[in-house]
Amino acid sequence: MDKRGILIIILAIAAIAIISTATNIDHSSKGIKTSDPGTQITDQEGRIVTIPTNVTRVAALAGQSYEKLILLNQTDKMAVTISAWTNLPWSSKIAPQLKNISIEDDPNVEDLIRKKVQVVFCLSYDGNKEKLNSSNISVVVTQKNSGNPENIDSFTKYVKQEVALYGEVMGLDAKKIADEWGEYFDQKANYVTSRTANLTDSQKPTVYYARGPDAITTQGKYSYTQWYVQMAGGNCVAKNTSKEGLQSVTMEQLLAWNPDVIFVGRVNSTNIITNDSRLSNIKAIKNNRVYLCPQGVAYWDGSAEGVLLMEYFAKNLHPELFEDLNMTNEVKDYYSKFYHYNLTDDEANRILQHLPPAGY
């Protein structure tokens, strides 16, 4: 073969190599990843979603998703989050990196693509799923507003699935921690329900959860708080509301329920209940059984920290059954185990009292 023939063959081989390389480029600036066949997962809405094999850039757009990523030691992979954490000072105390992450409550698709976001965590009802339909960014629904678990067994499975879903998306290290959290949840749930399972209906106080910002905002049937109240040995008065999830009830309805106990969440005092003269004759107020819910890295009524809320409910609903339950130690243990942060007794008690870090 002459030199010209050899040269033609070399050029042909080089051209094939260039074409092959080009087709394997990750076109992340355009949201295209042709070289990665990805992995299929099932999100909390039952959707089959294809995600990249190696996820390194995510947008935490679900209200509590930043907390799940802190829990799974994946904070460094957050490219975008929402402002929810800014109202929860313990979050940046535990994970100072949050202060350096872009906040986008109404994210722009092009901006997410520029930031090379591969996966977006969102709620089924926040509009982000629809907004991202035309992009190549994987959208994972982590919580839904309807079709939620209808009994305690399905609820406990659902809560563990939510954390496991984040672990599945974020990789093997995260999955291992998610599995450990699932085991921890089972242990605490069994501890509480083994003592409350045999209570008669008459032994279960009726409970109302005031979610804030006012007395009549609550979480209705099939909500996290309904199931945690029931696991803790209470009877949630909002369990038969006409719709699921967050909602307002009438003052007349709240008065008719006349709960034995009221827990108040997402506000920094019980004043929305105790200072309302219309509620002065409710049993919970007359018997001094209005309790302010703790607040830590996330709101306890819809986050992984809800396992602590279940214990808090149990301790206040049935102190005689849980004399050995030390909530200060429980909070310290949780933060050490999953956030790798060693709280002092004072810090743990501030969380339990719905107070920010000292000096905040």
Side-chain angles (χ1 to χ4, degrees), residues 7-28:
L7 179 59
I8 290 171
I9 292 172
I10 291 173
L11 290 173
I13 293 172
I16 292 170
I18 290 170
I19 292 170
S20 176
T21 300
T23 58
N24 283 293
I25 291 174
D26 177 0
H27 301 280
S28 54

Side-chain angles (χ1 to χ4, degrees), residues 2 23-25 61 76 85 91 103 115 121 123 196 221 237 255 257 284 306 315 329 349 353:
D2 59 20
T23 58
N24 283 293
I25 291 174
L61 304 183
D76 61 326
W85 70 265
S91 58
I103 292 177
K115 288 182 168 67
F121 294 109
L123 304 174
T196 61
K221 68 177 180 181
V237 295
L255 291 170
W257 278 332
K315 181 72 174 178
N329 289 344
N349 288 329
Q353 295 164 21

Side-chain angles (χ1 to χ4, degrees), residues 143-150 158 221-224 227 244-245:
Q143 288 186 7
K144 52 188 180 179
N145 198 42
S146 61
N148 286 300
E150 298 182 8
Y158 179 85
K221 68 177 180 181
Y222 307 154
S223 63
Y224 284 61
W227 299 124
E244 300 177 34

Side-chain angles (χ1 to χ4, degrees), residues 318-342:
H318 298 286
E320 74 288 351
L321 295 181
F322 294 96
E323 291 181 1
D324 60 332
L325 177 57
N326 184 315
M327 285 304 303
T328 301
N329 289 344
E330 291 298 305
V331 173
K332 289 175 67 176
D333 178 64
Y334 187 94
Y335 276 56
S336 175
K337 186 184 299 290
F338 294 112
Y339 299 147
H340 309 290
Y341 186 96
N342 294 318

